[in-house]
Amino acid sequence: EDQVTQSPEALRLQEGESSSLNCSYTVSGLRGLFWYRQDPGKGPEFLFTLYSAGEEKEKERLKATLTKKESFLHITAPKPEDSATYLCAVNRGSTLGRLYFGRGTQLTVWP
Amino acid sequence: NAGVTQTPKFQVLKTGQSMTLQCAQDMNHEYMSWYRQDPGMGLRLIHYSVGAGITDQGEVPNGYNVSRSTTEDFPLRLLSAAPSQTSVYFCASSYSITASGANVLTFGAGSRLTVL
């Protein structure tokens, strides 16, 4: 059965303390891995799409990487405004348009 | 350009009542979908549409109906509400399904539904 597993479930960091979030997946025919950010009471907001192993993308303090089995979201020198839930999702080529989401990692950055 | 608009934001229903969650997008997106989000669980796909007149089931379609008469609107109908349908519902749209099958979704702000 296809699965998307995110770890840790929750992460508390002090401002400036870099860390990584993990998303492991077991899907056949991966056609894209997505990272979204979700603030409380709001809908998810798109961050990155990765398509192939070895690919990397960056945006401000965030950097997403992809291997054949997992993706990492690296957060460098986080600030309190980076506090949010980060969601990982995968798209399978056999079911166009369907995204399968992990449960998310709730990140809290304290000053 | 409002993006994806969902109404209502909050709704309380009694078991057995019916209602419709509205979703509208002004980006001329072909693809629209409904997800539900429950505590401790990931977003789960209910129904989706790849264009006007075309709909299909997702992971958890039971108890919900959809239709797509226009490109802009994709309402979600609860026929006979049950407490298990208490959740936050998100509508999402995308410009198209790319050749690779991947598509970037734009989400609405969500509709919080409580069924008593």
Side-chain angles (χ1 to χ4, degrees), chain A residues 31 36 38 91 96-98 103, chain B residues 31 37 57 100-102 105:
Chain A
R31 294 297 181 96
Y36 285 84
Q38 186 174 23
N91 178 277
L96 294 181
R98 295 193 188 189
R103 298 182 182 184
Chain B
Y31 178 87
Q37 187 173 41
Q57 296 181 350
S100 68
L105 296 176

Side-chain angles (χ1 to χ4, degrees), chain A residues 24-43:
Chain A
S24 63
Y25 61 91
T26 55
V27 299
S28 55
L30 180 73
R31 294 297 181 96
L33 184 141
F34 300 79
W35 283 98
Y36 285 84
R37 169 188 170 131
Q38 186 174 23
D39 293 300
K42 296 187 177 181

Side-chain angles (χ1 to χ4, degrees), chain A residues 5 37 43 61 63 69 82 84-85 95 102 106-107:
Chain A
T5 304
R37 169 188 170 131
R61 295 176 293 281
K63 179 180 178 180
K69 296 290 185 183
D82 294 322
T85 296
T95 51
Q106 185 174 3
L107 174 66

